[in-house]
Amino acid sequence: MASNEPALQGLPTTEWAPAAEWIPSDGTEEWNPTEESVRPVRGRHRVVKQRGGGLARSSTVLGVGVIAAVGAGGIATAQDKPAVSISLPDSITDNLPDAESLPGMDSLMSEFSSGSDDADEQGGGGTANAPLTAMSVATTVGSTEETGAQQATAGEALRARILQQAEQQQAEVEAEAQAAAEKAAAEKAAAEAAKQQSAAEAEAADAKREAEEAAAKAAAAAEAARLAELARSYSLPTSSYTITSTYGESGSMWSSGQHTGLDFAAPTGTPAKAVHGGTVKSAGWSGSYGYRVVLELEDGTEIWYAHLSSMSVSAGQKVGTGDTVGRVGATGNVTGPHLHLEVHTPSGAGIDPAAWLRDKGLSV
């Protein structure tokens, strides 16, 4: 037990004096322990568990675990050392004071006495009033060693538990970090895939549009080539003309009530030409048509030239594109010189001559 009294410099030469009769020397002060000063401080320290923040919490727990491990290791190391026997000189042992005479020991001895009484009832005999001897000190040391061993075992268990919790929390933090990294990588890969898909779709759309444009241009070019070829093989029926009546017009001048052809007004004597090569089916007078020439083409289509002033071909004669078959006149039911042109299909139905000529690459 610690004391403020000066340590003995040698063996005492006189008998030990109680504290009540002790006179301090110069420069020393008497220490009078009280019940409050000798009362053991009891309590426990708690490690507050941190909430939120995995790494900070793991670091705190791990630090506490290290402190506990070091403390437990120190206790365990102390238990490994051999016990040291304590012996006192006879002059001191014989003059040891009674424990009850020490300040602040009354309550402690009372509790000890009550415990001894219980022991007497169970096993008989007590040690409440036993003097403080070397044997009692050895017994106290043995109890202290046993308590230290128990504390060391408890410290080792606490250290192992804290380290296990720290490792578990660290593993959870690492697992959460890995899951977050994997999620971020998956989202990045998905975004990249979507971006690539969008780029591929845009590229495909551009390629499709370019292909359609190219196909349209090719079709237009092919149609232009076809019409050019047809234009070279087909020809307008006359020149220096003016369109005065079109197909399907209504009027009292026509017996059917509608115009059945296309009128090219031109001076009398203007050459009327074959629009395509074929055979003259008929040539002669035809009532209200006046002088008329019927030209049959290779596909069976018939071209009628009416109101001619004269005819240059006869039935059965073959002609080529642009050959003269007659001349513009004003014969038959007319109001002035013009070429009345009609187009009939192989079945005999009349069609619009202007549309037929445009289909052959000719513009009227």
Side-chain angles (χ1 to χ4, degrees):
M1 179 176 178
S3 174
N4 289 337
E5 295 182 6
L8 294 176
Q9 302 298 323
L11 295 176
T13 57
T14 61
E15 294 183 353
W16 178 84
E21 300 178 2
W22 178 78
I23 299 175
S25 61
D26 296 338
T28 61
E29 295 180 1
E30 180 181 1
W31 176 64
N32 296 318
T34 63
E35 293 184 3
E36 294 297 331
S37 62
V38 299
R39 179 177 299 172
V41 179
R42 297 181 180 180
R44 59 179 178 178
H45 299 279
R46 296 182 180 178
V47 178
V48 180
K49 181 179 180 181
Q50 296 184 357
R51 301 183 180 273
L55 291 176
R57 178 178 56 194
S58 300
S59 301
T60 302
V61 175
L62 183 60
V64 174
V66 172
I67 295 173
V70 172
I75 295 173
T77 303
Q79 302 307 315
D80 295 338
K81 296 181 179 181
V84 179
S85 60
I86 301 175
S87 62
L88 297 175
D90 295 338
S91 59
I92 297 178
T93 304
D94 295 338
N95 294 288
L96 286 175
D98 293 336
E100 296 178 354
S101 65
L102 297 176
M105 294 298 291
D106 293 339
S107 61
L108 180 62
M109 294 302 293
S110 297
E111 295 177 359
F112 186 73
S113 297
S114 63
S116 299
D117 293 340
D118 294 339
D120 291 342
E121 293 177 359
Q122 297 178 0
T127 59
N129 297 322
L132 182 62
T133 62
M135 181 62 71
S136 63
V137 173
T139 302
T140 303
V141 171
S143 300
T144 303
E145 292 178 353
E146 182 180 357
T147 302
Q150 294 177 355
Q151 292 177 352
T153 303
E156 289 290 341
L158 177 60
R159 180 179 69 87
R161 183 174 180 182
I162 292 176
L163 291 178
Q164 181 181 4
Q165 291 179 353
E167 293 176 355
Q168 182 178 359
Q169 292 177 358
Q170 185 66 23
E172 292 177 355
V173 171
E174 293 177 354
E176 291 178 358
Q178 183 178 1
E182 292 177 355
K183 181 179 179 181
E187 292 177 352
K188 182 178 180 181
E192 186 66 22
K195 182 179 180 181
Q196 293 178 357
Q197 183 178 1
S198 299
E201 291 177 354
E203 184 177 358
D206 293 341
K208 181 179 179 181
R209 184 177 64 256
E210 292 177 357
E212 291 176 351
E213 292 177 355
K217 291 180 179 179
E223 182 65 14
R226 184 186 72 84
L227 294 177
E229 183 65 22
L230 289 175
R232 286 191 294 269
S233 60
Y234 286 83
S235 174
L236 290 174
T238 188
S239 59
S240 301
Y241 61 87
T242 299
I243 301 297
T244 56
S245 297
T246 58
Y247 179 82
E249 286 186 15
S250 299
S252 59
M253 296 182 295
W254 304 290
S255 58
S256 63
Q258 290 182 338
H259 193 225
T260 56
L262 185 63
D263 289 347
F264 295 82
T268 300
T270 302
K273 302 176 181 178
V275 296
H276 193 60
T279 303
V280 177
K281 187 175 182 179
S282 64
W285 182 261
S286 182
S288 60
Y289 284 101
Y291 289 109
R292 184 187 68 173
V293 172
V294 178
L295 176 64
E296 184 178 14
L297 306 182
E298 295 178 356
D299 61 356
T301 302
E302 293 183 356
I303 309 299
W304 293 5
Y305 300 85
H307 307 305
L308 296 175
S309 60
S310 63
M311 298 176 293
S312 302
V313 294
S314 57
Q317 182 179 345
K318 293 184 177 298
V319 296
T321 302
D323 290 347
T324 299
V325 296
R327 294 187 179 275
V328 175
T331 59
N333 185 16
V334 296
T335 58
H338 67 279
L339 172 63
H340 177 81
L341 183 71
E342 291 187 13
V343 178
H344 294 261
T345 63
S347 62
I351 60 177
D352 185 1
W356 184 84
L357 291 172
R358 285 193 298 269
D359 187 60
K360 305 306 178 181
L362 302 173
S363 178
V364 294

